[in-house]
Amino acid sequence: MLSSSVGYLILLIFGGGFTAVTIIMQRRQGKEMTAEQFSTAGRNVGVGLASASIIAAWTWAATLMMSSSTGYQYGISGPYWYAAGASIQILLFAIVAINLKKKAPNAHTFLEFIAQRFDVKNHRLMLGFALMTNIIVTAMVILGGAIALNSLTGMNIFVAAFLIPLTFTIYTMIGGLKASFVADYFNTVFIFIILFIFAAAVYYKFGVTSVYEGLKNLPSSQHMLTMASVPGLLFGMINIIGNFGTVFVDQAYWQRAIASKNSAASKAYIYGGIAWFSIPFAVATFLGVSAAGLGIAVDSPDSIAPVMASHVLGNLGSILFLTMLFMAVMSTGAAELTAITNIIVTDIYLRSINPKASSKKILSTSRKVTLGFGLAMGVFSILLFYLGISLGFVYMAMGIFVSGAVIPVTLGLMWKKATNTGAFYGALLGMIGGVVAWNASAYLINGHINVETLGGLYPMLIGNSTVFIISGIISIGHGLLAKKEFDFDELKDKFKSFDEHGDEPLREEVAYGSTTTVK
C-alpha cells in the first residue's frame, strides 16, 4: 500500500496542474471570459473534442469501481452488462440532442426548453429531478475517488471526500465549460493508455488459463462462466433502466449538445458511446473477472479494482489506477459542476431572483455557484459515509429517484401531443410509484426494510421498472386522450444569449411559454 502522503500529493498535482493549464489556455486565447462563453463554450465545439468529452463525462469514478465490481461478482457476464447497459442511453441521446439543437438552438439548459414547452409546475418539478440527478452523480464521483484513495494509500476517507471536490472546483470556476472540454480530451487519452497497460500486464503475468481455472473452482462458478447468469442479467436490466435517468435528466449531457456545432452534436454521441463501451468492459474484465479467478479477497466488491491493480503491478499499479481514477473524477466532477451551475443560474437566478442581470453579473454569479456547490458536495459525500450507504447502492438506486422525468422530457422535445398534465403527473407519480414498489418488494422478499434489503437485485429491478411503466402510461395516455398539439415554431425566438445586451439588463421579463394549443 502507498503512504497517505502519496494521496495528498496526487490531489495537489491534479488540482494545481489543471488550474495552471486553464489559466494558460485563457491567456493564450486573449479574450475576456463572458457569461455566454462560460456557460456554452461558444457553441462551436467540433465532433472530435465533443466525442472525447462525452467519453470522459460518462467515465465516472464509479464506472471504474463498479464495473470491476460486477465482473468480480457476476463473472464474464458482468463486464458486458455494465458496458452495454450504459452505452445504449448515450447512443439514443444522439436523437434527442439533434432535436434540441433544431428546436432551441440558443437554449442554455434543457430546463429552459421545458419552461417554454410546458408550464410553471412542470419546470419546477423537472428542476427538482435535474438537481437531484446532479447531486447523486457528483456524490458518486466523490465516493468512488475517496474509496480508491483510502484503499490504496490509507488516506482518511472523510478527508479525501472533502478534498476531492476542491481539485476540480477551482479550475472549473476559472474556465467554465470550455475548461471542462479541454480537460476531458487529455483525460480520455490517458485513460485509454493506462487501460492498455493493465490489460497487457494481466494477460502476460497471469494468462487466461489460470483465471479460467480459478473461476471454475469457485462455489459460484455456475454463473461466473456463462453469459446466461441470472444475477448478471438482473444487474444488466437495472443498469439499462436506471442509466436513462442519469443521461436524459443530467444537464451535463445536454450542455455538450448545446456547446457542439450543429453538424457535430449527434455524431459526437454516437462516436462517444461506441468508444466508451471499451472502457468499463476492459476494466471489469481485467481487474474484476481476473481478480475473482485469481482468488483476490476484499472487504467490499466496490474496492476490488484498486486492490487488483496493486496486485498486478505493485506500487506502480496503484499509482496508475489512481491516475486513471482521478482523470475520471476530474472530468465528471467538472462536467457536473458546470451543469448544476447552468441550472441554478439560468433556471433559478435569472428566472426567479434577478431577471434583469447583466452579462457580468451572470458570470460573477456562475463562479460563486460553482465554488459553493463544489464545497457543499464534499460535506454531502461525508454524510453518505456516515449513513453507511455504499457506492453500489447509490448506483443501482439512482434510477428510481431520477428516471421518472425521462419519458416526459423526451416526449416534450419530440412529440407535439405531449401535455402539461401528462408530463407533470407522469414524472411525479412515476417516481412515487417506484419508491413504493421498491420498499414494498424489499419487505415482501426479506420481511424487513433496511439498506441491505433495499440493495437486493429484485427490489432494485422492481423499483426501477415501475418508474418507467407508470410515467410512460400517464404521459403517453394523457397525450392521446387530450387531443391537443403544441406548435414548436413558437419556440424560435424564446432563447437569448447571455451576452446579447452586454452590461445592459439581459431581459425585461422572464415568462413561461404557452403550453399546448388546440388544433
Side-chain angles (χ1 to χ4, degrees), residues 149-481:
L149 272 177
N150 177 259
S151 300
L152 292 175
T153 71
M155 185 176 176
N156 184 286
I157 201 164
F158 299 109
V159 175
F162 187 74
L163 292 180
I164 286 172
L166 287 179
T167 60
F168 52 79
T169 295
I170 296 173
Y171 84 86
T172 306
M173 189 174 65
I174 296 171
L177 186 57
K178 191 59 176 284
S180 171
F181 272 94
V182 174
D184 289 348
Y185 178 81
F186 288 112
N187 292 345
T188 301
V189 171
F190 277 105
I191 286 172
F192 274 109
I193 292 173
I194 294 172
L195 268 182
F196 177 79
I197 293 172
F198 276 128
V202 171
Y203 180 79
Y204 285 107
K205 191 168 182 178
F206 303 109
V208 176
T209 304
S210 60
V211 174
Y212 173 77
E213 293 296 332
L215 291 173
K216 199 166 68 172
N217 294 327
L218 287 174
S220 55
S221 60
Q222 193 174 6
H223 75 254
M224 296 294 282
L225 286 168
T226 175
M227 291 298 292
S229 163
V230 173
L233 178 62
L234 291 174
F235 169 78
M237 294 171 68
I238 296 170
N239 199 31
I240 292 171
I241 298 170
N243 276 318
F244 270 101
T246 53
V247 173
F248 283 64
V249 193
D250 189 339
Q251 169 63 18
Y253 300 95
W254 292 93
Q255 69 191 12
R256 272 149 181 75
I258 290 167
S260 301
K261 296 177 182 175
N262 290 342
S263 58
S266 59
K267 292 178 184 175
Y269 287 94
I270 295 171
Y271 298 159
I274 293 172
W276 180 86
F277 178 95
S278 60
I279 293 177
F281 188 82
V283 171
T285 301
F286 289 104
L287 298 183
V289 177
S290 297
L294 296 172
I296 307 296
V298 287
D299 295 333
S300 167
D302 285 356
S303 60
I304 189 59
V307 173
M308 180 61 183
S310 175
H311 182 76
V312 174
L313 291 172
N315 285 343
L316 175 62
S318 299
I319 293 173
L320 285 175
F321 185 82
L322 275 179
T323 302
M324 181 170 65
L325 186 93
F326 266 88
M327 293 291 184
V329 168
M330 300 290 279
S331 294
T332 314
E336 295 301 318
L337 266 184
T338 53
I340 200 161
T341 297
N342 281 339
I343 289 173
I344 292 175
V345 171
T346 306
D347 295 285
I348 298 178
Y349 179 73
L350 281 177
R351 185 163 295 279
S352 305
I353 300 175
N354 188 5
K356 297 182 178 181
S358 67
S359 176
K360 284 187 177 179
K361 183 65 177 175
I362 297 170
L363 178 60
S364 170
T365 304
S366 298
R367 285 176 163 157
K368 290 174 184 173
V369 170
T370 301
L371 179 61
F373 178 70
L375 296 177
M377 282 311 304
V379 177
F380 180 69
S381 301
I382 291 173
L383 179 63
L384 290 181
F385 279 123
Y386 271 117
L387 294 175
I389 297 176
S390 70
L391 190 64
F393 181 89
V394 177
Y395 182 84
M396 291 199 291
M398 61 186 174
I400 299 171
F401 295 100
V402 304
S403 294
V406 171
I407 293 177
V409 168
T410 305
L411 291 178
L413 190 65
M414 303 182 66
W415 192 37
K416 59 186 178 183
K417 292 186 177 181
T419 63
N420 290 321
T421 303
F424 180 80
Y425 288 105
L428 182 62
L429 296 180
M431 183 191 70
I432 294 173
V435 172
V436 171
W438 180 36
N439 281 271
S441 57
Y443 180 79
L444 292 173
I445 293 171
N446 301 285
H448 58 279
I449 299 174
N450 56 27
V451 172
E452 184 180 350
T453 58
L454 288 173
L457 287 173
Y458 285 104
M460 286 287 187
L461 178 60
I462 292 170
N464 276 281
S465 303
T466 303
V467 175
F468 267 85
I469 292 170
I470 292 178
S471 67
I473 289 174
I474 294 176
S475 301
I476 297 172
H478 192 270
L480 293 173
L481 293 173

Side-chain angles (χ1 to χ4, degrees), residues 6-166:
V6 175
Y8 288 104
L9 184 63
I10 288 175
L11 289 176
L12 181 63
I13 291 173
F14 275 93
F18 276 96
T19 301
V21 168
T22 302
I23 294 172
I24 293 170
M25 186 179 68
Q26 280 199 316
R27 288 184 176 176
R28 291 192 62 180
Q29 284 181 339
K31 295 181 181 177
E32 186 178 354
M33 176 68 75
T34 67
E36 186 72 7
Q37 183 72 19
F38 188 92
S39 172
T40 67
R43 302 182 192 273
N44 64 351
V45 177
V47 65
L49 192 57
S51 300
S53 179
I54 289 163
I55 295 169
W58 200 216
T59 307
W60 303 352
T63 300
L64 306 177
M65 305 290 282
M66 268 299 296
S67 61
S68 47
S69 172
T70 59
Y72 187 74
Q73 293 179 89
Y74 310 130
I76 62 171
S77 68
Y80 172 79
W81 284 118
Y82 191 101
S87 296
I88 295 171
Q89 300 81 3
I90 294 291
L91 297 174
L92 292 177
F93 194 77
I95 302 170
V96 182
I98 196 63
N99 270 278
L100 180 71
K101 296 291 285 185
K102 287 180 179 176
K103 292 170 181 169
N106 291 320
H108 300 86
T109 67
F110 78 97
L111 294 166
E112 197 178 10
F113 170 84
I114 291 295
Q116 298 297 338
R117 172 66 176 86
F118 292 121
D119 57 9
V120 60
K121 67 177 185 296
N122 268 291
H123 178 250
R124 289 173 181 170
L125 179 64
M126 302 308 171
L127 177 66
F129 276 107
L131 291 176
M132 186 162 51
T133 303
N134 284 120
I135 290 171
I136 291 175
V137 172
T138 309
M140 291 181 64
V141 169
I142 298 169
L143 281 171
I147 290 170
L149 272 177
N150 177 259
S151 300
L152 292 175
T153 71
M155 185 176 176
N156 184 286
I157 201 164
F158 299 109
V159 175
F162 187 74
L163 292 180
I164 286 172
L166 287 179

